[in-house]
Amino acid sequence: QVQLQESGPGLVKPSETLSLTCTVSGASISNYHWSWIRQPPGKGLEWIGYLFYSGSTNYNPSLKSRATLSVDTSKNQISLSLTSVTAADTAVYYCARDLVVGVGCWFDPWGQGILVTVSS
Amino acid sequence: SSELTQDPAVSVALGQTVRITCQGDSLRNYYASWYQQKPGQAPVLVVYGKNNRPSGIPDRFSGSSSGNTASLTIAGTQAEDEADYYCHSRDSSGNQRVFGTGTKVTVL
């Protein structure tokens, strides 16, 4: 079955760039959208953005252009870069396959998530 | 509007039925999907599309929609259904994704 695994540093300093990778196994990243989602401790889910395997992207405007998604088809990986981080960016970050059919959309499956703490 | 609103918390007696609602303008045009999240775990898809369940999700979970409101119903609620539930859909433009505010379900 399709499995996703997030990886990257668990601690990032304020004002620096958060960089995470999502490795997909059990399926090719081609022909699908892939999203990053985050969840601050004790809070709800926030969609960060999605990427199509061809490289086209769409982002949550609330992140004010700090987020960039990219794809490496040779490694079957999707990456997230978030610049100028603050403590408010501390969260568990998830990647998920983003499925769209007609007027429906859903995320399945999800990675297990990775906690990233922003602190000096 | 790009917001999806859910009641913060609901409680249900073991074996009874609970309905969780999600309101938002975009739901007039797009289906919602629903996720169950237990403490310390990643969300799990339980209902998507008009009323579809992924493999392995019990048939006590069902979805429906009317106007600007989508609903997730759990019939014959079990103790293991105690969790946070989030709805998700597109925003009114259709280009963005948006999550509901989440509902904590407590099984009494």
Side-chain angles (χ1 to χ4, degrees):
Chain A
Q1 76 274 26
V2 181
Q3 292 185 311
L4 290 73
Q5 178 71 59
E6 303 89 349
S7 60
L11 180 64
V12 181
K13 290 181 168 55
S15 80
E16 295 190 344
T17 296
L18 178 160
S19 296
L20 298 175
T21 297
C22 174
T23 301
V24 179
S25 60
S28 169
I29 63 173
S30 299
N31 298 321
Y32 291 109
H33 290 80
W34 303 88
S35 273
W36 283 93
I37 297 145
R38 69 180 181 178
Q39 184 173 37
K43 296 188 177 180
L45 299 168
E46 180 183 32
W47 174 74
I48 297 170
Y50 71 65
L51 170 144
F52 193 48
Y53 80 100
S54 62
S56 65
T57 54
N58 203 327
Y59 299 101
N60 188 329
S62 70
L63 293 169
K64 298 179 181 178
S65 302
R66 295 191 297 124
T68 301
L69 303 189
S70 59
V71 61
D72 186 334
T73 53
S74 67
K75 295 181 179 179
N76 231 33
Q77 292 178 334
I78 304 100
S79 296
L80 165 68
S81 175
L82 187 65
T83 61
S84 304
V85 297
T86 68
D89 294 309
T90 294
V92 175
Y93 286 76
Y94 299 99
C95 58
R97 186 171 58 176
D98 184 334
L99 295 160
V100 178
V101 177
V103 295
C105 65
W106 58 96
F107 299 120
D108 183 58
W110 296 57
Q112 67 183 27
I114 182 170
L115 173 62
V116 179
T117 301
V118 178
S119 175
S120 55
Chain B
S1 169
S2 60
E3 296 180 345
L4 296 178
T5 303
Q6 300 178 237
D7 290 331
V10 297
S11 59
V12 55
L14 185 68
Q16 296 304 302
T17 296
V18 63
R19 173 180 284 185
I20 305 161
T21 60
C22 173
Q23 289 189 301
D25 290 343
S26 66
L27 298 179
R28 297 184 184 278
N29 299 310
Y30 300 106
Y31 289 128
S33 55
W34 292 91
Y35 305 85
Q36 177 192 70
Q37 186 179 34
K38 296 182 179 179
Q41 298 182 17
V44 173
L45 177 70
V46 293
V47 168
Y48 66 96
K50 188 172 183 179
N51 181 19
N52 300 294
R53 286 174 287 104
S55 173
I57 300 301
D59 61 5
R60 63 178 179 270
F61 290 90
S62 64
S64 61
S65 183
S66 178
N68 73 336
T69 302
S71 300
L72 174 70
T73 300
I74 311 173
T77 307
Q78 302 299 301
E80 62 263 32
D81 299 333
E82 186 165 285
D84 293 328
Y85 290 83
Y86 293 91
C87 62
H88 152 248
S89 187
R90 302 187 215 183
D91 74 342
S92 297
S93 75
N95 295 321
Q96 307 279 318
R97 311 289 191 252
V98 60
F99 283 100
T101 48
T103 298
K104 181 176 183 59
V105 172
T106 300
V107 181
L108 303 174

